[in-house]
Amino acid sequence: MRRVWPYLFLVALSLILYNYSKETREDIKVVHGYYGEGPYRIVLETYKNRYICNDCGMMIKSYQNSAQVISSNGDVYLFDDVGCMLRWLNRQDFKNEVRIYVFTTDTGAYIDANLAWYVRDANTPIGYGFGAYETSIGAITSGKTRSSIESQVGTFEIKRENKQIYSFDEIKLYANRGETLLNPMIKRELLKKE
């Protein structure tokens, strides 16, 4: 029996610490009262706060492919996928009075969504496929897209002449029509092997 007590003590202590961390952690979907000029600075590496996507409800685990919508009244809405942001924004009444920022793969920073270039075959958390890049060269030479991974397994060459890039207005149109990688017909067309 003496050998069991230390293990029971460790289990009890672990449960107490787990419950304490669960009670003190805060899930954040909307940040209120932000009136700064640029994008809101989120810190994903903390155990205290968890940022949650406003559309799908999943935890934002990476800056990659994430997006922010900042309303005129200072509310910041966070998203784990550009496609989630576009879907959510289409349902809002205030969609024309917001600032939108996307995290770019090539420079690793949030920029204005209207200034970014996009690909439609990126490997994104939810699978919409919209990857953002600050430069058109970054988008054209992107090697982390599904089409380049699936069509060129074992090689590292990128077929630059076949790479299509899009503006923000174009991907909004594609998202509103449901022409994303979640649509099997669109996925087959975008990822077809040439």
Side-chain angles (χ1 to χ4, degrees):
M1 189 68 177
R2 287 183 179 180
R3 292 184 180 182
V4 176
W5 283 110
Y7 295 111
L8 289 175
F9 176 73
L10 288 175
V11 169
L13 183 63
S14 299
L15 288 173
I16 290 169
L17 290 175
Y18 174 74
N19 285 333
Y20 174 74
S21 68
K22 197 171 155 184
E23 290 171 4
T24 59
R25 185 176 57 213
E26 183 181 359
D27 289 348
I28 300 171
K29 285 182 94 171
V30 180
V31 178
H32 301 287
Y34 176 72
Y35 297 101
E37 288 297 313
Y40 180 75
R41 186 180 185 297
I42 63 173
V43 180
L44 297 179
E45 295 83 22
T46 180
Y47 69 92
K48 186 156 178 67
N49 298 330
R50 291 188 333 171
Y51 293 97
I52 306 296
C53 178
N54 274 278
D55 186 54
C56 68
M58 290 182 60
M59 184 172 78
I60 301 172
K61 296 181 180 177
S62 171
Y63 295 109
Q64 209 69 347
N65 301 303
S66 65
Q68 302 178 10
V69 173
I70 303 174
S71 68
S72 58
N73 65 355
D75 291 340
V76 180
Y77 302 93
L78 307 166
F79 303 92
D80 64 342
D81 194 312
V82 174
C84 286
M85 180 265 300
L86 292 170
R87 231 180 83 150
W88 178 86
L89 192 60
N90 191 40
R91 298 188 305 258
Q92 305 308 311
D93 295 332
F94 57 88
K95 61 184 159 199
N96 296 327
E97 304 159 6
V98 295
R99 293 179 292 151
I100 304 169
Y101 296 97
V102 293
F103 192 84
T104 57
T105 302
D106 55 347
T107 59
Y110 281 103
I111 67 165
D112 187 342
N114 292 303
L115 302 177
W117 293 98
Y118 299 88
V119 296
R120 292 178 57 203
D121 60 351
N123 195 7
T124 61
I126 303 302
Y128 287 103
F130 299 119
Y133 295 85
E134 188 166 0
T135 62
S136 59
I137 298 298
I140 291 171
T141 60
S142 62
K144 294 183 179 179
T145 60
R146 291 185 180 183
S147 62
S148 63
I149 292 169
E150 290 181 7
S151 68
Q152 300 175 23
V153 174
T155 66
F156 295 99
E157 296 178 16
I158 299 170
K159 297 180 180 177
R160 295 180 186 179
E161 67 277 0
N162 295 333
K163 192 72 164 180
Q164 184 72 29
I165 59 174
Y166 304 90
S167 69
F168 184 66
D169 291 332
E170 290 173 317
I171 66 155
K172 271 198 319 194
L173 182 64
Y174 286 124
N176 292 339
R177 293 191 304 207
E179 296 178 14
T180 67
L181 288 184
L182 295 178
N183 182 332
M185 292 182 353
I186 300 300
K187 183 175 184 175
R188 186 172 37 250
E189 182 65 29
L190 285 175
L191 303 182
K192 70 180 176 182
K193 297 180 180 177
E194 298 181 13

